[in-house]
């Protein structure tokens, strides 16, 4: 098993659909992150979970809803998305949620909103 | 204005050439990380620098942290096609709430 696994790798959905992105880490880490990566823009941190508790919500619209049932799994529930939400969504993990900790990234879910 | 400015945005070179990419800011960073993201994959951490003036080497890659800890550079010697990817710098600064912030990256293409 690779360190951080994201599914699906690609997702196309309409603006009225509801879907979920899944992330699983096999590194024994306690912190997990969601990032949005758009072309020519810096990675945007969306959410941080530390020991299953949300420690950061970076002013993310409520149409994105995270869920962290345990330290190994992280979900991003999507509903009523907008075309500008099309991007690569990356999950990452680290030992704990500290900024100097190296982060291990998954390969992302490429999301396209029709 | 981006917190970390990376330049150039895009670089296309021939195999065997040398290159340098830059990561600049007006803020002082307590630490700075470099990641490489290959097409279709997530970023992978290459190095972390924490001391002003620090130089770290990883095979053909040389990373330098500026004396004032406001900038960093990545130099690649004798580039190979396998070096192709997006190079991201990310740093931690008190000015940004001690959160890890990323630059937009430099896209490197090495042609054989």
């Amino acid at each position: 098993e690779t360190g951080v696994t994201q599914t699906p790798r690609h997702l196309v959905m309409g603006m009225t659909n509801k879907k979920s992105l899944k992330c699983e880490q096999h590194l024994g880490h306690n912190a997990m992150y969601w990032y949005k990566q758009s072309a020519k823009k810096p990675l945007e941190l969306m959410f941080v979970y530390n020991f299953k508790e949300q420690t950061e919500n970076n002013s993310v619209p409520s149409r994105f809803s995270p869920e962290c049932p345990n330290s190994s799994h992280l979900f991003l529930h999507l509903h009523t998305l907008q075309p500008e939400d099309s991007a690569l969504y990356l999950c990452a993990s680290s030992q704990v949620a500290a900024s100097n900790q190296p982060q291990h990234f998954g390969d992302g879910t490429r999301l396209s909103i029709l | 204005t981006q917190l970390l400015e990376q330049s150039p945005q895009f670089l296309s070179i021939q195999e065997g050439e040398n290159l340098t990419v830059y990561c600049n800011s007006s803020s002082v960073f307590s630490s700075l990380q470099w990641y490489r993201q290959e097409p279709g994959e997530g970023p992978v951490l290459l190095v972390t620098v924490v001391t002003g003036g620090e130089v770290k080497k990883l095979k053909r890659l040389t990373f330098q942290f500026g004396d004032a800890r406001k900038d960093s550079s990545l130099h690649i010697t004798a580039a190979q096609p396998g070096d192709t990817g997006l190079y991201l710098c990310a740093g931690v600064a008190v000015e940004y709430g001690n959160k890890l912030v990323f630059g937009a990256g430099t896209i490197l293409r090495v042609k054989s």
Side-chain angles (χ1 to χ4, degrees), chain A:
Chain A
E1 287 282 359
T2 55
V4 181
T5 304
Q6 290 188 242
T7 55
R9 292 296 312 275
H10 302 273
L11 179 61
V12 179
M13 57 186 286
M15 289 190 285
T16 58
N17 292 156
K18 290 184 179 182
K19 295 286 184 183
S20 296
L21 309 185
K22 178 182 176 182
C23 177
E24 184 174 1
Q25 59 96 1
H26 303 274
L27 300 169
H29 289 167
N30 298 297
M32 297 188 77
Y33 310 76
W34 279 117
Y35 287 89
K36 177 183 179 182
Q37 187 175 35
S38 304
K40 300 183 181 179
K41 293 176 66 177
L43 263 70
E44 300 173 46
L45 179 64
M46 300 174 70
F47 302 102
V48 181
Y49 279 82
N50 199 33
F51 293 92
K52 301 189 298 179
E53 297 298 319
Q54 186 181 124
T55 57
E56 187 152 349
N57 175 339
N58 202 24
S59 302
V60 180
S62 59
R63 57 186 183 269
F64 295 90
S65 176
E67 178 188 1
C68 188
N70 54 62
S71 292
S72 299
H73 293 84
L74 185 65
F75 297 89
L76 188 62
H77 303 300
L78 316 171
H79 62 97
T80 324
L81 294 193
Q82 304 299 309
E84 61 265 29
D85 296 323
S86 296
L88 181 68
Y89 288 84
L90 290 163
C91 172
S93 70
S94 62
Q95 190 61 49
V96 293
S99 56
N100 61 351
Q101 289 282 307
Q103 295 186 19
H104 298 256
F105 286 84
D107 290 337
T109 294
R110 174 70 62 183
L111 177 65
S112 298
I113 306 300
L114 300 178

